[in-house]
Amino acid sequence: MSDQSHAPTDHDLAPGEEEQHSVGTRILGYVVGLALALLLTATSFFIAGTDLVWQPSIPVALIVLAIAQMGVHLVFFLHITTGPDNTNNVLALAFGLLVVFLVVGGTVWIMAHLNANMPPMDQIMRMQ
Amino acid sequence: MAMTATAGHAHADPHHIGVVIEHPGPASKRIVTAYGFWIFLLSDIVMFSCFFAAYAVLSGQTAGGPKGSEIFEQRNVAIETVCLLLSSFTCGMASIAADVRNRFWFYLGMTVTCVLGLIFLVIEFREFADLVARGYGPSRSAFLTAFFSLVGCHGLHVSAGVLWLLTMMAQVFAKGFRADVLRRIMCFALFWHALDIVWVGVFSVVYLLGSAA
Amino acid sequence: MLGKLDWSAIPFDQPIPLIAGAVVLVAILAVLTWVVVKGHLPYLWSEWITSVDHKRIGVMYILLASVMLLRGGSDAIMMRIQQAVAYQSQGYLPPEHYNQIFSAHGTIMIFFVAMPFVIGLMNLIVPLQLGVRDVAFPTLNSVGFWLTATGALLVNLSLVVGEFARTGWLAFPPLSELSYSPGVGVDYYAWSLQISGVGTLVAGINLVTTVLKLRTKGMNYLRMPMFCWTTLASNLLIVAAFPILTATLAMLLLDRYLGFHFFTNEAGGNVMMFMNLIWAWGHPEVYILVLPAFGIFSEVVSTFSGKALFGYRSMVLATMAICVISFMVWLHHFFTMGAGPDVNAIFGIASMIIAIPTGVKIYNWLFTMYGGRIRFATPMLWSVGFMVTFIVGGLTGVLLAVPPADFMLHNSMFLVAHFHNVIIGGVLFGAFAGFEYWFPKAFGFRLDERWGKLAFWFTFLGFFITFVPLYIAGMLGMTRRMQHYDVAAWRPWMIVAAIGMAVLTIGVICQIVQIVVSIRNREALRDRTGDPWDGRSLEWATSSPPPVFNFAFNPDVRGEDAYWDMKARAQQQSLERDRPEYQDIEMPRNSPTGFVCAFFATIMGFALIWHIWWMVILGGLGAWATFVVFAWRDHDEYVIPAEEVAAIDRVNLEERRDLVSMAGTV
């Protein structure tokens, strides 16, 4: 197997691997990521507990913040970039996210319709 | 993918007139291992998505039991979140230390990661134990079933991560920074960061949305 | 001490499973004794059981699938006889036994026949087609195989210790919940699928990584053989869909073991969510099985027509389109459950859309044959038989994708006929085509053509005699899974189906005879060149069976149909005189990790089924320790010296030169 490792690696990166940087730059990347993540987390917790913002917007805001924070983690901790060396990693991620979206979205959508047409047993009981 | 233009072979590839980009051959072991683990992580996230979906469907089914807003304690969740975030950071530091073969910083980073992970687990365990003691165990209602399963599934992953982390520290102690050990450290770091991403979903969807509703 | 396990678990009062179990046990013991007495055990242990060679693991997967095919097939025979005789009577199988049989039949045929068969073929062939020496994770590959075997073992154990599920192959709640199925049957079902599911996931990760990251020099994506593309798509689906199965079964198990309320009728649980989640796995699963078969047909049709595959790029596109769309159609399995017209319409349309790329493939195969010099060898017969059969199955599928029609046909024998039509006509025919086609590559000699053709014709005719009556019975209103019935109009069709089953059985017997005859005549059928079919892709560029390192040199690929291209050039250059120096080759060492890990998984699974908690902990610790021991080893590779590589390679090159010089004269 190891005779296969002479292939050039400079045009393909493992997931989580960074382009060659000095240690200082790498640490800085993590610090920036941590700061951004903490900021977004704090915002989420603040919004959830406050009545300063319009209440119906809170769920949307929380989800947007969560997605943003996942993005921060992906970029600063998992080093997923859009460079050509990362194509395979990003494509795999995109496929995974598509499936997650289909499963969660599909389930919620289907079950909402099912429940509307045929409520679960205990709801029928309550109606009677 | 190396960009080697070999116009000479174009005749064998009728769809590319002119320049053909030749595949350079099998990737290195480090890339292969990490990519395989990356695929595993994606499958793990699909599994989590099922528990998220189940939670979304069942979160309203309290069956006369407590609602989310009645049992969630935001202070605890905030501490848990900060613990995991910091541990993700220290885990990153440990992997940098491993890359530059610095044992001291590696052990330090991994130990802090481990301690933060354990604090997270203790808080979560106490939350669960407290709920069960109050009669709000997972068999109380479908909502609690989904809650315990989703959060517990993440907790199980963190526990497995801690076990893995300790195994990796022991391996570095016994074998040093060998190539295969470094590959495993890289996979562990991916795993730990991915758990943090899942946790972002958990605290946003379960705790914050649950207590806001 | 032993949880729920006691002597009442053994069905002394039921002669059929007891005798069957005893016969199997005696057979296993006889084989084991023979192996030990003949002194083959060390060979088996070091060359097969601990092997991390993808070819050996592939062969073991196929062996497992073949054995389980006989088990699942006997279930099928029993069901057909029961339905032929159980008109206004109880037949010969009591309901609780009949229910176990149809559940076991479905579970075994999907998880332990179809899955291991296609995974085995992919393992065996894909690294060869990609021109590399091994898969991405050789040891994990072995773990995956042995975990699959564990699942199969547990399912068969349920025959004599306890019982199997009586819930159908997907264990729908609330029937599968503790209140309605208090026995261990559902636990056997769920734990064996959980364990073999881990094995399948491992195999999927391994093969995706192999295709994406381990390709020989010049093997660009658009030069990969079709089988590699379908392998990629199928394994992407495994990686994305099997976690859904794991999660869903975990929820069911939590309900059963810890009193959770995911799918219960009480406390707000939602039964429908199980249907939703299990089919979100179940539909991609269909394509996990059939995509590799499509790949096999592409290889076979192209080789035996002597032409490059027609519309290669459209084929790639169709494969990847199926890969994505298969995640958008799962609701068509439960149209009747009341999601309403909006949802049903969208999923119905998506289900019809997925027929388009499949249709593209059919036309591509037809156009590949068009104008080709077709040789009707056995693999080609299976392929043509597939095209005929699969079109019928596909059309009835499109019919079922129309929600109003589905309301009439849901859970009828029509449905049973439909999915057997696509799974037998698609997956099983594909597996047999691949088996006949690549057997010489795996073992170095061809299979007997005469018996192979007999096997094909009996299976092909038997299939239609069995399943066309089921379509008709479905139209007449017969529902599936009936232990007995009182409608006179169904009776003749059930009898015809039973006759068809007999013809199918003759087909299977022909295949067994074919293997025996071929082993006896192996010298006459020997494949010396490594290229018995005048093949086009790289697996034919090495000897049969290939050396452990597959290729002395990683081939340099210049275009599609890599080996065909090489042969064409070699005729002009009289085969590569300018060979560079042979070099040492490093290969992964064999490891008992997979076997030991599966041993502990078996203990753990059995203990979980019977609630023997101390044994669960023991098994878990053992599995973890196995991995730590594996991680601790210092030498994971061994070296094959250059002289040995050269000696092995030269023999094959000589044979091949003769072939090329002969081909030049034709």
Side-chain angles (χ1 to χ4, degrees):
Chain A
M1 281 288 278
S2 58
D3 65 321
Q4 294 168 347
S5 58
H6 58 71
T9 53
D10 48 334
H11 290 291
D12 199 6
L13 280 184
E17 209 168 35
E18 292 174 274
E19 304 251 21
Q20 293 306 312
H21 286 309
S22 68
V23 172
T25 334
R26 291 182 66 184
I27 294 178
L28 188 68
Y30 280 98
V31 172
V32 172
L34 181 67
L36 280 175
L38 279 174
L39 186 71
L40 288 165
T41 306
T43 319
S44 283
F45 274 85
F46 171 74
I47 283 185
T50 183
D51 45 9
L52 287 176
V53 291
W54 185 50
Q55 292 298 311
S57 73
I58 288 179
V60 182
L62 283 176
I63 290 185
V64 170
L65 284 167
I67 292 172
Q69 189 170 346
M70 289 176 186
V72 167
H73 282 243
L74 280 175
V75 172
F76 289 97
F77 295 160
L78 289 157
H79 314 296
I80 292 299
T81 66
T82 53
D85 46 12
N86 248 314
T87 315
N88 258 337
N89 308 339
V90 174
L91 275 179
L93 180 68
F95 181 67
L97 288 181
L98 175 71
V99 172
V100 167
F101 170 77
L102 287 172
V103 170
V104 176
T107 301
V108 170
W109 185 51
I110 292 168
M111 295 310 292
H113 275 80
L114 267 175
N115 286 348
N117 291 330
M118 314 201 324
M121 212 51 102
D122 56 333
Q123 285 182 25
I124 297 176
M125 306 258 198
R126 250 176 278 151
M127 271 187 262
Q128 282 166 347
Chain B
M1 259 145 258
M3 311 291 161
T4 340
T6 50
H9 298 312
H11 67 278
D13 195 354
H15 303 293
H16 285 115
I17 309 301
V19 179
V20 181
I21 300 163
E22 295 280 333
H23 178 67
S28 74
K29 249 188 172 179
R30 189 175 161 82
I31 288 181
V32 168
T33 308
Y35 193 75
F37 196 75
W38 182 240
I39 301 281
F40 163 75
L41 281 180
L42 293 175
S43 79
D44 212 29
I45 284 177
V46 172
M47 194 196 72
F48 269 111
S49 79
C50 293
F51 283 99
F52 272 107
Y55 180 82
V57 171
L58 297 177
S59 59
Q61 304 294 328
T62 49
K67 283 195 291 209
S69 50
E70 297 163 30
I71 54 169
F72 297 151
E73 287 190 38
Q74 290 225 4
R75 202 177 56 88
N76 276 348
V77 184
I79 298 172
E80 284 177 306
T81 308
V82 171
C83 276
L84 269 196
L85 252 180
L86 287 176
S87 80
S88 228
F89 177 76
T90 54
C91 172
M93 293 303 108
S95 44
I96 295 178
D99 284 347
V100 297
R101 313 277 197 282
N102 186 321
R103 281 196 187 223
F104 172 74
W105 285 102
F106 173 76
Y107 288 137
L108 186 67
M110 290 293 254
T111 313
V112 177
T113 310
C114 179
V115 169
L116 288 168
L118 286 175
I119 294 175
F120 172 88
L121 284 173
V122 168
I123 297 176
E124 187 162 279
F125 183 78
R126 283 177 49 187
E127 184 195 6
F128 279 13
D130 178 50
L131 283 176
V132 172
R134 281 156 67 190
Y136 299 153
S139 35
R140 176 65 190 83
S141 70
F143 156 66
L144 284 165
T145 287
F147 164 76
F148 270 90
S149 316
L150 174 54
V151 179
C153 183
H154 179 266
L156 272 181
H157 275 74
V158 176
S159 315
V162 168
L163 190 65
W164 187 2
L165 182 155
L166 294 173
T167 315
M168 280 333 294
M169 283 175 76
Q171 254 206 322
V172 171
F173 180 76
K175 307 275 174 190
F177 292 113
R178 241 169 34 181
D180 58 341
V181 176
L182 282 175
R183 286 200 297 269
R184 285 179 204 135
I185 292 173
M186 182 161 72
C187 289
F188 167 75
L190 282 173
F191 184 69
W192 199 258
H193 292 316
L195 285 188
D196 206 9
I197 292 185
V198 173
W199 181 252
V200 172
V202 172
F203 83 70
S204 301
V205 172
V206 177
Y207 288 105
L208 295 185
L209 273 180
S211 46
Chain C
M1 185 65 184
L2 285 178
K4 290 158 77 176
L5 185 62
D6 55 35
W7 284 110
S8 67
I10 300 188
F12 291 112
D13 52 335
Q14 290 171 27
I16 297 177
L18 206 62
I19 293 170
V23 169
V24 171
L25 203 69
V26 168
I28 290 174
L29 283 179
V31 171
L32 273 183
T33 321
W34 182 77
V35 164
V36 173
V37 170
K38 282 275 187 177
H40 291 316
L41 198 59
Y43 166 77
L44 271 186
W45 174 261
S46 59
E47 294 292 318
W48 290 90
I49 294 174
T50 62
S51 177
V52 297
D53 181 346
H54 70 92
K55 301 178 285 294
R56 296 260 160 101
I57 292 174
V59 169
M60 288 194 287
Y61 262 118
I62 294 167
L63 187 67
L64 173 72
S66 310
V67 172
M68 295 310 282
L69 179 66
L70 298 182
R71 161 78 213 270
S74 14
D75 288 340
I77 295 171
M78 290 169 83
M79 282 190 285
R80 281 292 120 244
I81 295 176
Q82 169 74 10
Q83 288 201 325
V85 298
Y87 167 62
Q88 288 185 340
S89 79
Q90 283 294 313
Y92 71 107
L93 289 173
E96 72 274 6
H97 191 189
Y98 182 76
N99 294 355
Q100 287 185 46
I101 288 182
F102 69 65
S103 307
H105 170 76
T107 310
I108 287 175
M109 285 304 199
I110 296 289
F111 292 98
F112 302 113
V113 177
M115 287 299 286
F117 216 130
V118 293
I119 291 179
L121 287 172
M122 293 190 282
N123 247 310
L124 177 65
I125 293 304
V126 164
L128 290 169
Q129 286 196 333
L130 294 173
V132 291
R133 301 220 160 102
D134 212 328
V135 288
F137 306 106
T139 314
L140 266 185
N141 200 10
S142 151
V143 174
F145 166 72
W146 285 107
L147 288 180
T148 310
T150 293
L153 180 66
L154 284 177
V155 169
N156 284 290
L157 202 59
S158 72
L159 197 64
V160 274
V161 187
E163 52 166 5
F164 196 66
R166 300 166 190 181
T167 49
W169 77 287
L170 282 183
F172 285 165
L175 179 58
S176 57
E177 290 285 357
L178 203 56
S179 32
Y180 303 99
S181 295
V184 293
V186 177
D187 301 327
Y188 261 115
Y189 164 84
W191 285 115
S192 41
L193 292 200
Q194 289 292 51
I195 292 171
S196 68
V198 174
T200 308
L201 181 68
V202 165
I205 291 170
N206 182 26
L207 284 162
V208 168
T209 315
T210 305
V211 175
L212 288 180
K213 292 291 174 185
L214 292 183
R215 278 167 288 130
T216 190
K217 192 167 171 304
M219 183 62 87
N220 297 0
Y221 285 120
L222 285 175
R223 290 174 182 174
M224 293 198 299
M226 208 51 226
F227 186 55
C228 294
W229 270 107
T230 57
T231 297
L232 174 64
S234 163
N235 285 287
L236 276 174
L237 287 177
I238 287 182
V239 168
F242 266 77
I244 306 178
L245 177 71
T246 306
T248 313
L249 289 178
M251 290 176 197
L252 181 64
L253 286 167
L254 284 170
D255 276 7
R256 287 179 62 87
Y257 278 70
L258 298 173
F260 280 37
H261 289 292
F262 279 109
F263 312 123
T264 56
N265 280 330
E266 310 85 42
N270 197 326
V271 174
M272 300 306 193
M273 197 171 65
F274 183 89
M275 319 301 158
N276 170 65
L277 286 175
I278 201 91
W279 284 114
W281 158 80
H283 200 81
E285 164 71 7
V286 175
Y287 287 93
I288 290 171
L289 294 176
V290 87
L291 279 175
F294 287 170
I296 295 167
F297 295 127
S298 305
E299 302 293 318
V300 168
V301 168
S302 157
T303 300
F304 289 95
S305 304
K307 280 174 68 189
L309 187 66
F310 181 89
Y312 172 80
R313 291 189 173 211
S314 64
M315 207 72 143
V316 170
L317 204 64
T319 304
M320 296 323 274
I322 289 176
C323 180
V324 173
I325 303 175
S326 67
F327 266 104
M328 305 178 184
V329 298
W330 76 89
L331 182 123
H332 70 213
H333 294 273
F334 49 104
F335 276 144
T336 53
M337 288 191 198
D342 302 356
V343 181
N344 277 2
I346 287 182
F347 278 94
I349 292 167
S351 309
M352 293 175 213
I353 287 176
I354 203 167
I356 295 172
T358 317
V360 167
K361 282 168 176 274
I362 295 273
Y363 281 109
N364 279 342
W365 292 316
L366 291 177
F367 281 122
T368 307
M369 289 167 67
Y370 179 77
R373 201 183 297 162
I374 302 173
R375 289 170 286 157
F376 281 104
T378 318
M380 189 63 180
L381 278 185
W382 286 111
S383 305
V384 177
F386 149 80
M387 284 184 230
V388 176
T389 318
F390 196 79
I391 287 173
V392 177
L395 287 177
T396 55
V398 175
L399 197 59
L400 285 166
V402 182
D406 184 74
F407 271 68
M408 296 288 120
L409 298 166
H410 186 82
N411 267 0
S412 71
M413 287 307 254
F414 188 90
L415 172 83
V416 174
H418 158 70
F419 67 69
H420 282 88
N421 204 164
V422 281
I423 291 183
I424 294 180
V427 183
L428 207 63
F429 281 20
F432 288 158
F435 179 78
E436 303 275 335
Y437 182 55
W438 283 312
F439 188 91
K441 186 42 68 186
F443 294 103
F445 57 94
R446 274 173 292 123
L447 286 169
D448 187 85
E449 279 286 308
R450 208 166 66 90
W451 282 102
K453 284 178 177 160
L454 272 179
F456 166 75
W457 283 111
F458 275 113
T459 312
F460 184 72
L461 292 176
F463 169 80
F464 280 100
I465 303 173
T466 311
F467 289 99
V468 170
L470 298 197
Y471 274 122
I472 298 168
M475 294 288 213
L476 294 174
M478 185 173 184
T479 53
R480 68 198 288 198
R481 295 171 178 169
M482 297 189 93
Q483 187 256 343
H484 67 218
Y485 54 93
D486 298 325
V487 180
W490 301 343
R491 182 88 201 273
W493 300 114
M494 290 303 109
I495 292 172
V496 177
I499 295 168
M501 193 67 223
V503 181
L504 266 177
T505 311
I506 298 173
V508 172
I509 292 171
C510 285
Q511 255 175 350
I512 296 171
V513 174
Q514 180 199 26
I515 294 170
V516 175
V517 167
S518 312
I519 292 177
R520 284 187 156 177
N521 297 343
R522 61 185 176 279
E523 283 314 318
L525 294 164
R526 183 72 64 192
D527 161 34
R528 296 181 193 288
T529 60
D531 182 19
W533 308 116
D534 201 7
R536 313 179 71 84
S537 43
L538 283 179
E539 76 266 33
W540 308 113
T542 184
S543 62
S544 301
V548 63
F549 46 82
N550 290 354
F551 299 97
F553 299 94
N554 281 335
D556 186 0
V557 175
R558 310 281 175 83
E560 289 166 28
D561 283 344
Y563 181 51
W564 189 261
D565 186 39
M566 282 182 192
K567 279 192 283 192
R569 277 184 293 122
Q571 280 184 13
Q572 296 152 9
Q573 303 166 6
S574 80
L575 215 86
E576 303 110 347
R577 280 227 183 88
D578 50 342
R579 274 291 187 194
E581 288 297 301
Y582 287 99
Q583 284 170 344
D584 292 356
I585 292 176
E586 282 179 19
M587 292 302 291
R589 289 159 72 94
N590 285 354
S591 160
T593 308
F595 188 76
V596 176
C597 188
F599 172 77
F600 285 115
T602 311
I603 288 182
M604 209 166 136
F606 186 78
L608 280 165
I609 290 162
W610 292 100
H611 296 225
I612 313 172
W613 304 120
W614 60 268
M615 214 198 257
V616 175
I617 295 166
L618 215 66
L621 282 178
W624 178 71
T626 314
F627 275 106
V628 173
V629 169
F630 171 69
W632 233 260
R633 66 184 189 163
D634 286 322
H635 304 289
D636 50 358
E637 289 180 337
Y638 69 102
V639 175
I640 303 171
E643 305 89 68
E644 202 180 323
V645 175
I648 295 172
D649 196 45
R650 283 202 188 105
V651 176
N652 182 240
L653 271 184
E654 285 307 317
E655 298 280 0
R656 216 166 273 261
R657 277 215 183 86
D658 298 344
L659 174 85
V660 169
S661 52
M662 263 163 34
T665 60
V666 174

